[in-house]
Amino acid sequence: MLRFAILELLERKPLSGYELKRRFQGSIVFFWRANHSQIYRELKLMEKDGLVVGSKVPHDWRPTKTVYAVTSKGREALVEWLREKPKLRGVKDEMMLKCFAFHLVPPEEAEAQLAHHQKLHQQRLEEYLKIKKQLEDRHGQLLETRDSILFWNALCLYQAMDHERMYVEWCRWAIARHKEFSAGNRPAARDGRENDSHGKLAG
Amino acid sequence: MLRFAILELLERKPLSGYELKRRFQGSIVFFWRANHSQIYRELKLMEKDGLVVGSKVPHDWRPTKTVYAVTSKGREALVEWLREKPKLRGVKDEMMLKCFAFHLVPPEEAEAQLAHHQKLHQQRLEEYLKIKKQLEDRHGQLLETRDSILFWNALCLYQAMDHERMYVEWCRWAIARHKEFSAGNRPAARDGRENDSHGKLAG
DNA sequence: AGATCATATGACAAGACTGACATATTCGAA
DNA sequence: TTCGAATATGTCAGTCTTGTCATATGATCT
């Protein structure tokens, strides 16, 4: 899995392990991440498998780096993988796992955790918006591009933003429901429910 | 991580490894999953750590099973974990990782994959709706419950549904954008964009 | 009679991932 | 001049996770 993420980036431009790590930050982080120890190890394995070749690039100052480029074998492996039907993999979400047992903690704490999580996702959303803005400044309206790399990149970015937005909204909604629950209110909130997301969507 | 998922379920009711696996299917699958080999191994480790105790329960027919119950130490560990602030973990999404490099495959194939993925998420959403319906048949309107276990359960279920809905919508939207892109259209679609999710939300 | 399904448990290999430790250089700031 | 930050690379231990193979039993279907 990780090796395909690496191949995708190297296919655009040969990079060293360190540069690769930085590229992850700016694009693939949306849906994949890895730390440097993982990346360096994987690069060596991939070289052994003939998917990439490394070449040493000396520097005046700074340590010599090894820049990796995709081989034709690597490119084939990447395309082959891209054409496979992806299977639907399960979500793993620590916050939700906790939420599932929040009846075991004091209600204020549960609510504080929801609020905290909302903030984290909000922040992440804002980072993504910043990245979007940068791309737009450089390339204009993303969806009007003729560049297929940029086009798919944009779709991915939108997906990542949708995800964060959904999460933020859910947190907000959950906190409101929880307040009602704690107060023991039933009917007062009912009229309002038609106007929030779950009133519309959950039917 | 897995051990807390297990503790959450055992805290409600002592279960054998096999039953635990089945419980995962019905509730925690929304945001965590594990196969049986993982569960059995973890249960043994947890018993060694004193978080659970197993007791053999013989059967007339069927092999004897070992039912595990949470110890007070296990319960403490669970609550302690629940009260920690959860850190925001990165998403890992194979489909999106592929999407990022879809410029390398023929456009029809990319689109077919999006459509296929949309269907998978649609199906998952329908499963969740079925589960929701079952819960409602048994307990009435979920958000009006006085049962805190059920309440949090419902919030989690709604989150899972929101997630699937978001994904389905994004796939639909992405396919439409991609058709425009392939056709080389720019302006024709512009008026319509104000009415779809990204016209509204991405600003 | 034979096949298959559901219950019930486990071993094992391989891969993925985290986090801490370790090292070396150069630049710029305090 | 000392400190930290950025560049650049690696090891290692331990954990988590996946997937496959293996083994039983009894029930039910054909």
Side-chain angles (χ1 to χ4, degrees):
Chain A
M1 206 69 281
L2 174 59
R3 61 177 48 195
F4 296 114
I6 291 174
L7 284 173
E8 287 186 356
L9 290 177
L10 292 187
E11 197 274 334
R12 297 173 182 205
K13 188 177 191 301
L15 299 166
S16 71
Y18 190 82
E19 291 163 333
L20 212 34
K21 168 77 177 118
R22 312 214 64 217
R23 287 293 167 110
F24 260 78
Q25 297 310 328
S27 52
I28 286 190
V29 235
F30 306 150
F31 28 78
W32 211 269
R33 58 194 66 202
N35 55 31
H36 72 276
S37 52
Q38 223 181 323
I39 289 173
Y40 286 118
R41 199 176 337 107
E42 193 64 28
L43 280 171
K44 279 182 185 164
L45 292 175
M46 288 166 75
E47 188 164 30
K48 218 176 57 190
D49 294 346
L51 303 177
V52 297
V53 271
S55 50
K56 299 231 177 282
V57 176
H59 255 269
D60 323 342
W61 52 285
R62 291 192 212 285
T64 299
K65 64 183 176 182
T66 310
V67 170
Y68 291 88
V70 178
T71 63
S72 61
K73 191 178 168 187
R75 215 189 129 94
E76 275 167 37
L78 173 58
V79 173
E80 194 191 341
W81 171 75
L82 285 171
R83 300 175 81 156
E84 275 170 26
K85 260 190 193 169
K87 42 182 162 16
L88 191 51
R89 299 179 73 81
V91 177
K92 298 225 165 166
D93 188 327
E94 187 175 342
M95 176 62 190
M96 283 301 129
L97 192 57
K98 285 192 179 183
C99 192
F100 189 69
F102 266 178
H103 58 278
L104 297 173
V105 304
E108 322 80 63
E109 272 188 50
E111 206 170 304
Q113 288 219 15
L114 286 174
H116 181 242
H117 222 65
Q118 181 184 336
K119 210 176 70 188
L120 292 178
H121 282 284
Q122 182 71 49
Q123 282 165 3
R124 190 131 92 184
L125 174 58
E126 277 153 24
E127 280 172 43
Y128 290 169
L129 284 169
K130 219 172 285 171
I131 291 172
K132 175 169 172 267
K133 184 128 200 325
Q134 281 166 14
L135 286 174
E136 281 171 351
D137 289 347
R138 255 184 289 157
H139 303 102
Q141 279 304 300
L142 297 179
L143 295 172
E144 292 174 20
T145 183
R146 294 281 79 214
D147 174 354
S148 68
I149 292 183
L150 181 59
F151 172 77
W152 287 109
N153 215 317
L155 291 195
C156 288
L157 180 54
Y158 277 110
Q159 203 273 352
M161 291 193 302
D162 282 355
H163 182 259
E164 297 308 320
R165 244 179 240 120
M166 178 277 293
Y167 221 123
V168 169
E169 277 312 305
W170 177 83
C171 286
R172 195 200 314 283
W173 175 84
I175 290 167
R177 276 340 104 209
H178 183 250
K179 279 189 199 303
E180 283 174 15
F181 178 80
S182 297
N185 293 347
R186 253 166 295 249
R190 197 168 216 167
D191 299 326
R193 200 162 297 153
E194 254 59 53
N195 297 324
D196 69 25
S197 62
H198 289 300
K200 282 193 302 236
L201 300 169
Chain B
M1 208 67 283
L2 174 59
R3 60 177 49 196
F4 296 113
I6 292 174
L7 284 173
E8 288 186 357
L9 290 177
L10 293 186
E11 197 272 336
R12 298 174 182 205
K13 188 176 190 302
L15 298 166
S16 70
Y18 190 83
E19 291 163 332
L20 211 36
K21 168 75 176 124
R22 312 214 63 215
R23 286 294 167 109
F24 261 77
Q25 297 310 326
S27 53
I28 287 190
V29 234
F30 307 149
F31 29 79
W32 210 268
R33 58 193 67 201
N35 55 29
H36 73 275
S37 50
Q38 221 181 326
I39 290 173
Y40 287 116
R41 201 175 335 110
E42 193 65 28
L43 281 170
K44 279 180 185 166
L45 293 174
M46 288 165 75
E47 187 164 31
K48 218 175 58 192
D49 294 345
L51 303 177
V52 296
V53 272
S55 50
K56 298 230 177 283
V57 175
H59 255 270
D60 320 341
W61 53 286
R62 291 192 213 286
T64 300
K65 63 184 175 180
T66 309
V67 170
Y68 291 88
V70 178
T71 62
S72 61
K73 191 177 169 189
R75 215 189 128 94
E76 276 167 37
L78 173 58
V79 173
E80 194 191 340
W81 172 74
L82 286 171
R83 299 176 80 158
E84 277 170 22
K85 260 190 194 169
K87 42 184 163 12
L88 192 50
R89 300 180 71 82
V91 177
K92 298 225 165 166
D93 188 327
E94 187 175 341
M95 175 62 191
M96 283 302 129
L97 192 57
K98 285 192 179 182
C99 192
F100 189 70
F102 266 179
H103 58 279
L104 296 174
V105 303
E108 321 81 64
E109 272 189 52
E111 208 171 301
Q113 289 219 14
L114 287 173
H116 180 242
H117 222 65
Q118 181 183 336
K119 210 175 70 187
L120 292 178
H121 281 284
Q122 183 69 50
Q123 282 165 2
R124 190 131 94 185
L125 174 58
E126 276 154 24
E127 279 172 42
Y128 290 168
L129 284 168
K130 220 172 284 172
I131 291 172
K132 176 171 171 268
K133 184 127 199 324
Q134 281 166 14
L135 285 175
E136 279 172 351
D137 288 347
R138 256 184 288 158
H139 304 101
Q141 280 303 299
L142 297 179
L143 296 173
E144 292 173 19
T145 184
R146 295 280 79 216
D147 173 355
S148 68
I149 293 183
L150 182 60
F151 172 77
W152 288 109
N153 215 315
L155 290 195
C156 288
L157 180 54
Y158 277 109
Q159 205 272 352
M161 291 192 302
D162 283 355
H163 183 260
E164 298 307 321
R165 243 180 240 118
M166 177 278 292
Y167 221 125
V168 169
E169 277 312 306
W170 176 82
C171 285
R172 194 200 316 284
W173 176 84
I175 290 168
R177 275 341 102 210
H178 183 250
K179 280 189 199 301
E180 283 173 18
F181 178 81
S182 297
N185 293 347
R186 253 165 297 249
R190 198 169 216 164
D191 299 325
R193 200 163 295 152
E194 254 60 51
N195 296 324
D196 71 23
S197 62
H198 290 300
K200 283 193 303 241
L201 299 169

PDB file of all heavy atoms in Angstrom, chain B residues 23-49:
ATOM      1  N   ARG B  23     -20.580  -9.630  17.490  1.00  0.00           N
ATOM      2  CA  ARG B  23     -21.003  -8.313  17.980  1.00  0.00           C
ATOM      3  C   ARG B  23     -20.333  -7.187  17.213  1.00  0.00           C
ATOM      4  O   ARG B  23     -20.932  -6.152  16.950  1.00  0.00           O
ATOM      5  CB  ARG B  23     -20.652  -8.153  19.469  1.00  0.00           C
ATOM      6  CG  ARG B  23     -21.531  -8.938  20.397  1.00  0.00           C
ATOM      7  CD  ARG B  23     -22.952  -8.413  20.357  1.00  0.00           C
ATOM      8  NE  ARG B  23     -23.831  -9.365  21.011  1.00  0.00           N
ATOM      9  CZ  ARG B  23     -24.419  -9.163  22.192  1.00  0.00           C
ATOM     10  NH1 ARG B  23     -24.242  -8.022  22.816  1.00  0.00           N
ATOM     11  NH2 ARG B  23     -25.189 -10.092  22.722  1.00  0.00           N
ATOM     12  N   PHE B  24     -19.092  -7.417  16.882  1.00  0.00           N
ATOM     13  CA  PHE B  24     -18.379  -6.424  16.077  1.00  0.00           C
ATOM     14  C   PHE B  24     -19.184  -6.102  14.824  1.00  0.00           C
ATOM     15  O   PHE B  24     -19.345  -4.939  14.463  1.00  0.00           O
ATOM     16  CB  PHE B  24     -16.998  -6.957  15.668  1.00  0.00           C
ATOM     17  CG  PHE B  24     -15.876  -6.452  16.531  1.00  0.00           C
ATOM     18  CD1 PHE B  24     -15.653  -6.978  17.792  1.00  0.00           C
ATOM     19  CD2 PHE B  24     -15.039  -5.446  16.092  1.00  0.00           C
ATOM     20  CE1 PHE B  24     -14.628  -6.517  18.591  1.00  0.00           C
ATOM     21  CE2 PHE B  24     -14.007  -4.970  16.882  1.00  0.00           C
ATOM     22  CZ  PHE B  24     -13.801  -5.506  18.123  1.00  0.00           C
ATOM     23  N   GLN B  25     -19.678  -7.143  14.195  1.00  0.00           N
ATOM     24  CA  GLN B  25     -20.436  -6.948  12.955  1.00  0.00           C
ATOM     25  C   GLN B  25     -21.597  -5.972  13.128  1.00  0.00           C
ATOM     26  O   GLN B  25     -21.878  -5.173  12.255  1.00  0.00           O
ATOM     27  CB  GLN B  25     -21.009  -8.287  12.450  1.00  0.00           C
ATOM     28  CG  GLN B  25     -19.963  -9.319  12.065  1.00  0.00           C
ATOM     29  CD  GLN B  25     -18.899  -8.773  11.137  1.00  0.00           C
ATOM     30  OE1 GLN B  25     -19.179  -7.915  10.303  1.00  0.00           O
ATOM     31  NE2 GLN B  25     -17.672  -9.227  11.286  1.00  0.00           N
ATOM     32  N   GLY B  26     -22.275  -6.080  14.266  1.00  0.00           N
ATOM     33  CA  GLY B  26     -23.524  -5.355  14.414  1.00  0.00           C
ATOM     34  C   GLY B  26     -23.418  -3.934  14.932  1.00  0.00           C
ATOM     35  O   GLY B  26     -24.364  -3.174  14.865  1.00  0.00           O
ATOM     36  N   SER B  27     -22.259  -3.557  15.432  1.00  0.00           N
ATOM     37  CA  SER B  27     -22.199  -2.220  16.008  1.00  0.00           C
ATOM     38  C   SER B  27     -20.857  -1.544  15.800  1.00  0.00           C
ATOM     39  O   SER B  27     -20.773  -0.512  15.127  1.00  0.00           O
ATOM     40  CB  SER B  27     -22.499  -2.309  17.509  1.00  0.00           C
ATOM     41  OG  SER B  27     -21.654  -3.256  18.126  1.00  0.00           O
ATOM     42  N   ILE B  28     -19.798  -2.137  16.319  1.00  0.00           N
ATOM     43  CA  ILE B  28     -18.517  -1.453  16.252  1.00  0.00           C
ATOM     44  C   ILE B  28     -17.948  -1.436  14.839  1.00  0.00           C
ATOM     45  O   ILE B  28     -17.099  -0.601  14.537  1.00  0.00           O
ATOM     46  CB  ILE B  28     -17.525  -2.030  17.299  1.00  0.00           C
ATOM     47  CG1 ILE B  28     -17.960  -1.561  18.682  1.00  0.00           C
ATOM     48  CG2 ILE B  28     -16.110  -1.603  17.047  1.00  0.00           C
ATOM     49  CD1 ILE B  28     -16.984  -1.831  19.791  1.00  0.00           C
ATOM     50  N   VAL B  29     -18.452  -2.302  13.956  1.00  0.00           N
ATOM     51  CA  VAL B  29     -17.956  -2.281  12.570  1.00  0.00           C
ATOM     52  C   VAL B  29     -17.960  -0.899  11.986  1.00  0.00           C
ATOM     53  O   VAL B  29     -17.185  -0.606  11.093  1.00  0.00           O
ATOM     54  CB  VAL B  29     -18.804  -3.087  11.557  1.00  0.00           C
ATOM     55  CG1 VAL B  29     -17.936  -4.066  10.821  1.00  0.00           C
ATOM     56  CG2 VAL B  29     -20.017  -3.659  12.168  1.00  0.00           C
ATOM     57  N   PHE B  30     -18.884  -0.063  12.426  1.00  0.00           N
ATOM     58  CA  PHE B  30     -18.983   1.288  11.888  1.00  0.00           C
ATOM     59  C   PHE B  30     -17.640   1.996  11.886  1.00  0.00           C
ATOM     60  O   PHE B  30     -17.349   2.786  11.013  1.00  0.00           O
ATOM     61  CB  PHE B  30     -19.958   2.142  12.711  1.00  0.00           C
ATOM     62  CG  PHE B  30     -21.310   1.542  12.898  1.00  0.00           C
ATOM     63  CD1 PHE B  30     -22.046   1.808  14.043  1.00  0.00           C
ATOM     64  CD2 PHE B  30     -21.864   0.699  11.941  1.00  0.00           C
ATOM     65  CE1 PHE B  30     -23.310   1.262  14.226  1.00  0.00           C
ATOM     66  CE2 PHE B  30     -23.126   0.143  12.110  1.00  0.00           C
ATOM     67  CZ  PHE B  30     -23.841   0.421  13.262  1.00  0.00           C
ATOM     68  N   PHE B  31     -16.825   1.717  12.884  1.00  0.00           N
ATOM     69  CA  PHE B  31     -15.564   2.455  12.963  1.00  0.00           C
ATOM     70  C   PHE B  31     -14.399   1.636  13.516  1.00  0.00           C
ATOM     71  O   PHE B  31     -13.358   2.178  13.829  1.00  0.00           O
ATOM     72  CB  PHE B  31     -15.746   3.711  13.801  1.00  0.00           C
ATOM     73  CG  PHE B  31     -16.812   3.552  14.827  1.00  0.00           C
ATOM     74  CD1 PHE B  31     -16.565   2.871  15.989  1.00  0.00           C
ATOM     75  CD2 PHE B  31     -18.079   4.044  14.572  1.00  0.00           C
ATOM     76  CE1 PHE B  31     -17.553   2.695  16.917  1.00  0.00           C
ATOM     77  CE2 PHE B  31     -19.088   3.854  15.510  1.00  0.00           C
ATOM     78  CZ  PHE B  31     -18.822   3.185  16.688  1.00  0.00           C
ATOM     79  N   TRP B  32     -14.609   0.335  13.607  1.00  0.00           N
ATOM     80  CA  TRP B  32     -13.479  -0.528  13.939  1.00  0.00           C
ATOM     81  C   TRP B  32     -13.818  -1.934  13.504  1.00  0.00           C
ATOM     82  O   TRP B  32     -14.966  -2.341  13.576  1.00  0.00           O
ATOM     83  CB  TRP B  32     -13.177  -0.531  15.440  1.00  0.00           C
ATOM     84  CG  TRP B  32     -11.722  -0.754  15.685  1.00  0.00           C
ATOM     85  CD1 TRP B  32     -11.084  -1.944  15.888  1.00  0.00           C
ATOM     86  CD2 TRP B  32     -10.717   0.243  15.704  1.00  0.00           C
ATOM     87  NE1 TRP B  32      -9.749  -1.733  16.010  1.00  0.00           N
ATOM     88  CE2 TRP B  32      -9.483  -0.409  15.903  1.00  0.00           C
ATOM     89  CE3 TRP B  32     -10.726   1.627  15.555  1.00  0.00           C
ATOM     90  CZ2 TRP B  32      -8.283   0.280  15.970  1.00  0.00           C
ATOM     91  CZ3 TRP B  32      -9.531   2.313  15.618  1.00  0.00           C
ATOM     92  CH2 TRP B  32      -8.324   1.641  15.831  1.00  0.00           C
ATOM     93  N   ARG B  33     -12.836  -2.676  13.051  1.00  0.00           N
ATOM     94  CA  ARG B  33     -13.119  -4.069  12.760  1.00  0.00           C
ATOM     95  C   ARG B  33     -11.906  -4.927  13.021  1.00  0.00           C
ATOM     96  O   ARG B  33     -10.778  -4.455  13.053  1.00  0.00           O
ATOM     97  CB  ARG B  33     -13.655  -4.269  11.350  1.00  0.00           C
ATOM     98  CG  ARG B  33     -12.754  -3.770  10.241  1.00  0.00           C
ATOM     99  CD  ARG B  33     -13.539  -3.751   8.952  1.00  0.00           C
ATOM    100  NE  ARG B  33     -14.576  -2.740   9.025  1.00  0.00           N
ATOM    101  CZ  ARG B  33     -15.665  -2.721   8.258  1.00  0.00           C
ATOM    102  NH1 ARG B  33     -15.880  -3.662   7.385  1.00  0.00           N
ATOM    103  NH2 ARG B  33     -16.549  -1.746   8.379  1.00  0.00           N
ATOM    104  N   ALA B  34     -12.143  -6.208  13.227  1.00  0.00           N
ATOM    105  CA  ALA B  34     -11.058  -7.128  13.525  1.00  0.00           C
ATOM    106  C   ALA B  34     -11.511  -8.515  13.106  1.00  0.00           C
ATOM    107  O   ALA B  34     -12.702  -8.812  13.140  1.00  0.00           O
ATOM    108  CB  ALA B  34     -10.755  -7.110  15.024  1.00  0.00           C
ATOM    109  N   ASN B  35     -10.580  -9.347  12.709  1.00  0.00           N
ATOM    110  CA  ASN B  35     -10.954 -10.709  12.378  1.00  0.00           C
ATOM    111  C   ASN B  35     -10.735 -11.617  13.587  1.00  0.00           C
ATOM    112  O   ASN B  35     -10.134 -11.215  14.572  1.00  0.00           O
ATOM    113  CB  ASN B  35     -10.204 -11.190  11.127  1.00  0.00           C
ATOM    114  CG  ASN B  35      -8.716 -11.041  11.286  1.00  0.00           C
ATOM    115  OD1 ASN B  35      -8.211 -11.113  12.405  1.00  0.00           O
ATOM    116  ND2 ASN B  35      -8.018 -10.835  10.202  1.00  0.00           N
ATOM    117  N   HIS B  36     -11.233 -12.820  13.484  1.00  0.00           N
ATOM    118  CA  HIS B  36     -11.247 -13.659  14.689  1.00  0.00           C
ATOM    119  C   HIS B  36      -9.859 -13.952  15.233  1.00  0.00           C
ATOM    120  O   HIS B  36      -9.666 -14.004  16.442  1.00  0.00           O
ATOM    121  CB  HIS B  36     -12.015 -14.946  14.426  1.00  0.00           C
ATOM    122  CG  HIS B  36     -11.305 -15.913  13.555  1.00  0.00           C
ATOM    123  ND1 HIS B  36     -11.358 -15.857  12.188  1.00  0.00           N
ATOM    124  CD2 HIS B  36     -10.495 -16.949  13.853  1.00  0.00           C
ATOM    125  CE1 HIS B  36     -10.637 -16.823  11.686  1.00  0.00           C
ATOM    126  NE2 HIS B  36     -10.095 -17.499  12.672  1.00  0.00           N
ATOM    127  N   SER B  37      -8.889 -14.156  14.333  1.00  0.00           N
ATOM    128  CA  SER B  37      -7.557 -14.506  14.837  1.00  0.00           C
ATOM    129  C   SER B  37      -7.005 -13.389  15.724  1.00  0.00           C
ATOM    130  O   SER B  37      -6.347 -13.644  16.720  1.00  0.00           O
ATOM    131  CB  SER B  37      -6.608 -14.812  13.685  1.00  0.00           C
ATOM    132  OG  SER B  37      -6.630 -13.803  12.722  1.00  0.00           O
ATOM    133  N   GLN B  38      -7.307 -12.174  15.324  1.00  0.00           N
ATOM    134  CA  GLN B  38      -6.866 -11.028  16.119  1.00  0.00           C
ATOM    135  C   GLN B  38      -7.567 -11.007  17.472  1.00  0.00           C
ATOM    136  O   GLN B  38      -6.957 -10.744  18.508  1.00  0.00           O
ATOM    137  CB  GLN B  38      -7.238  -9.769  15.349  1.00  0.00           C
ATOM    138  CG  GLN B  38      -6.223  -8.678  15.361  1.00  0.00           C
ATOM    139  CD  GLN B  38      -6.718  -7.479  14.584  1.00  0.00           C
ATOM    140  OE1 GLN B  38      -7.437  -7.632  13.586  1.00  0.00           O
ATOM    141  NE2 GLN B  38      -6.372  -6.303  15.037  1.00  0.00           N
ATOM    142  N   ILE B  39      -8.845 -11.288  17.456  1.00  0.00           N
ATOM    143  CA  ILE B  39      -9.640 -11.224  18.677  1.00  0.00           C
ATOM    144  C   ILE B  39      -9.211 -12.279  19.698  1.00  0.00           C
ATOM    145  O   ILE B  39      -9.014 -11.978  20.878  1.00  0.00           O
ATOM    146  CB  ILE B  39     -11.141 -11.368  18.348  1.00  0.00           C
ATOM    147  CG1 ILE B  39     -11.634 -10.107  17.609  1.00  0.00           C
ATOM    148  CG2 ILE B  39     -11.968 -11.592  19.618  1.00  0.00           C
ATOM    149  CD1 ILE B  39     -13.045 -10.198  17.083  1.00  0.00           C
ATOM    150  N   TYR B  40      -9.019 -13.510  19.229  1.00  0.00           N
ATOM    151  CA  TYR B  40      -8.618 -14.564  20.152  1.00  0.00           C
ATOM    152  C   TYR B  40      -7.260 -14.262  20.785  1.00  0.00           C
ATOM    153  O   TYR B  40      -7.051 -14.475  21.975  1.00  0.00           O
ATOM    154  CB  TYR B  40      -8.574 -15.920  19.437  1.00  0.00           C
ATOM    155  CG  TYR B  40      -9.944 -16.480  19.135  1.00  0.00           C
ATOM    156  CD1 TYR B  40     -10.383 -16.669  17.838  1.00  0.00           C
ATOM    157  CD2 TYR B  40     -10.814 -16.822  20.172  1.00  0.00           C
ATOM    158  CE1 TYR B  40     -11.638 -17.179  17.554  1.00  0.00           C
ATOM    159  CE2 TYR B  40     -12.073 -17.328  19.900  1.00  0.00           C
ATOM    160  CZ  TYR B  40     -12.481 -17.510  18.585  1.00  0.00           C
ATOM    161  OH  TYR B  40     -13.721 -18.008  18.328  1.00  0.00           O
ATOM    162  N   ARG B  41      -6.349 -13.798  19.944  1.00  0.00           N
ATOM    163  CA  ARG B  41      -5.019 -13.485  20.469  1.00  0.00           C
ATOM    164  C   ARG B  41      -5.091 -12.374  21.508  1.00  0.00           C
ATOM    165  O   ARG B  41      -4.508 -12.459  22.581  1.00  0.00           O
ATOM    166  CB  ARG B  41      -4.072 -13.098  19.328  1.00  0.00           C
ATOM    167  CG  ARG B  41      -2.621 -13.266  19.708  1.00  0.00           C
ATOM    168  CD  ARG B  41      -1.663 -12.991  18.543  1.00  0.00           C
ATOM    169  NE  ARG B  41      -2.299 -13.198  17.267  1.00  0.00           N
ATOM    170  CZ  ARG B  41      -2.605 -12.214  16.428  1.00  0.00           C
ATOM    171  NH1 ARG B  41      -2.350 -10.972  16.748  1.00  0.00           N
ATOM    172  NH2 ARG B  41      -3.163 -12.482  15.283  1.00  0.00           N
ATOM    173  N   GLU B  42      -5.849 -11.342  21.164  1.00  0.00           N
ATOM    174  CA  GLU B  42      -5.953 -10.196  22.067  1.00  0.00           C
ATOM    175  C   GLU B  42      -6.604 -10.596  23.386  1.00  0.00           C
ATOM    176  O   GLU B  42      -6.188 -10.139  24.448  1.00  0.00           O
ATOM    177  CB  GLU B  42      -6.764  -9.087  21.380  1.00  0.00           C
ATOM    178  CG  GLU B  42      -6.699  -7.740  22.066  1.00  0.00           C
ATOM    179  CD  GLU B  42      -5.310  -7.116  22.060  1.00  0.00           C
ATOM    180  OE1 GLU B  42      -4.524  -7.406  21.143  1.00  0.00           O
ATOM    181  OE2 GLU B  42      -5.012  -6.354  23.000  1.00  0.00           O
ATOM    182  N   LEU B  43      -7.607 -11.439  23.328  1.00  0.00           N
ATOM    183  CA  LEU B  43      -8.275 -11.881  24.554  1.00  0.00           C
ATOM    184  C   LEU B  43      -7.290 -12.566  25.510  1.00  0.00           C
ATOM    185  O   LEU B  43      -7.320 -12.338  26.716  1.00  0.00           O
ATOM    186  CB  LEU B  43      -9.424 -12.843  24.217  1.00  0.00           C
ATOM    187  CG  LEU B  43     -10.718 -12.185  23.740  1.00  0.00           C
ATOM    188  CD1 LEU B  43     -11.693 -13.238  23.216  1.00  0.00           C
ATOM    189  CD2 LEU B  43     -11.372 -11.379  24.862  1.00  0.00           C
ATOM    190  N   LYS B  44      -6.419 -13.382  24.936  1.00  0.00           N
ATOM    191  CA  LYS B  44      -5.426 -14.059  25.780  1.00  0.00           C
ATOM    192  C   LYS B  44      -4.459 -13.072  26.414  1.00  0.00           C
ATOM    193  O   LYS B  44      -4.118 -13.182  27.591  1.00  0.00           O
ATOM    194  CB  LYS B  44      -4.664 -15.088  24.957  1.00  0.00           C
ATOM    195  CG  LYS B  44      -5.454 -16.374  24.813  1.00  0.00           C
ATOM    196  CD  LYS B  44      -4.702 -17.381  24.007  1.00  0.00           C
ATOM    197  CE  LYS B  44      -5.596 -18.595  23.783  1.00  0.00           C
ATOM    198  NZ  LYS B  44      -5.066 -19.478  22.738  1.00  0.00           N
ATOM    199  N   LEU B  45      -4.014 -12.128  25.605  1.00  0.00           N
ATOM    200  CA  LEU B  45      -3.118 -11.102  26.133  1.00  0.00           C
ATOM    201  C   LEU B  45      -3.804 -10.312  27.239  1.00  0.00           C
ATOM    202  O   LEU B  45      -3.208  -9.997  28.264  1.00  0.00           O
ATOM    203  CB  LEU B  45      -2.680 -10.152  25.006  1.00  0.00           C
ATOM    204  CG  LEU B  45      -1.783 -10.757  23.926  1.00  0.00           C
ATOM    205  CD1 LEU B  45      -1.550  -9.758  22.806  1.00  0.00           C
ATOM    206  CD2 LEU B  45      -0.459 -11.211  24.532  1.00  0.00           C
ATOM    207  N   MET B  46      -5.074 -10.001  27.007  1.00  0.00           N
ATOM    208  CA  MET B  46      -5.818  -9.217  27.986  1.00  0.00           C
ATOM    209  C   MET B  46      -6.013 -10.000  29.282  1.00  0.00           C
ATOM    210  O   MET B  46      -5.997  -9.434  30.369  1.00  0.00           O
ATOM    211  CB  MET B  46      -7.174  -8.804  27.401  1.00  0.00           C
ATOM    212  CG  MET B  46      -7.066  -7.743  26.327  1.00  0.00           C
ATOM    213  SD  MET B  46      -8.569  -7.571  25.348  1.00  0.00           S
ATOM    214  CE  MET B  46      -9.622  -6.692  26.500  1.00  0.00           C
ATOM    215  N   GLU B  47      -6.201 -11.296  29.144  1.00  0.00           N
ATOM    216  CA  GLU B  47      -6.349 -12.104  30.346  1.00  0.00           C
ATOM    217  C   GLU B  47      -5.043 -12.120  31.134  1.00  0.00           C
ATOM    218  O   GLU B  47      -5.031 -11.994  32.349  1.00  0.00           O
ATOM    219  CB  GLU B  47      -6.765 -13.536  29.989  1.00  0.00           C
ATOM    220  CG  GLU B  47      -7.097 -14.367  31.230  1.00  0.00           C
ATOM    221  CD  GLU B  47      -7.873 -15.630  30.899  1.00  0.00           C
ATOM    222  OE1 GLU B  47      -7.684 -16.185  29.798  1.00  0.00           O
ATOM    223  OE2 GLU B  47      -8.687 -16.057  31.750  1.00  0.00           O
ATOM    224  N   LYS B  48      -3.940 -12.210  30.400  1.00  0.00           N
ATOM    225  CA  LYS B  48      -2.617 -12.190  31.036  1.00  0.00           C
ATOM    226  C   LYS B  48      -2.410 -10.859  31.762  1.00  0.00           C
ATOM    227  O   LYS B  48      -1.777 -10.796  32.813  1.00  0.00           O
ATOM    228  CB  LYS B  48      -1.526 -12.385  29.983  1.00  0.00           C
ATOM    229  CG  LYS B  48      -0.357 -13.241  30.457  1.00  0.00           C
ATOM    230  CD  LYS B  48       0.639 -13.490  29.329  1.00  0.00           C
ATOM    231  CE  LYS B  48       1.204 -12.212  28.745  1.00  0.00           C
ATOM    232  NZ  LYS B  48       1.940 -12.435  27.479  1.00  0.00           N
ATOM    233  N   ASP B  49      -2.951  -9.798  31.198  1.00  0.00           N
ATOM    234  CA  ASP B  49      -2.827  -8.470  31.802  1.00  0.00           C
ATOM    235  C   ASP B  49      -3.886  -8.214  32.878  1.00  0.00           C
ATOM    236  O   ASP B  49      -3.926  -7.123  33.460  1.00  0.00           O
ATOM    237  CB  ASP B  49      -2.924  -7.379  30.725  1.00  0.00           C
ATOM    238  CG  ASP B  49      -1.746  -7.410  29.764  1.00  0.00           C
ATOM    239  OD1 ASP B  49      -0.739  -8.069  30.095  1.00  0.00           O
ATOM    240  OD2 ASP B  49      -1.829  -6.773  28.705  1.00  0.00           O
TER     241      ASP B  49
END
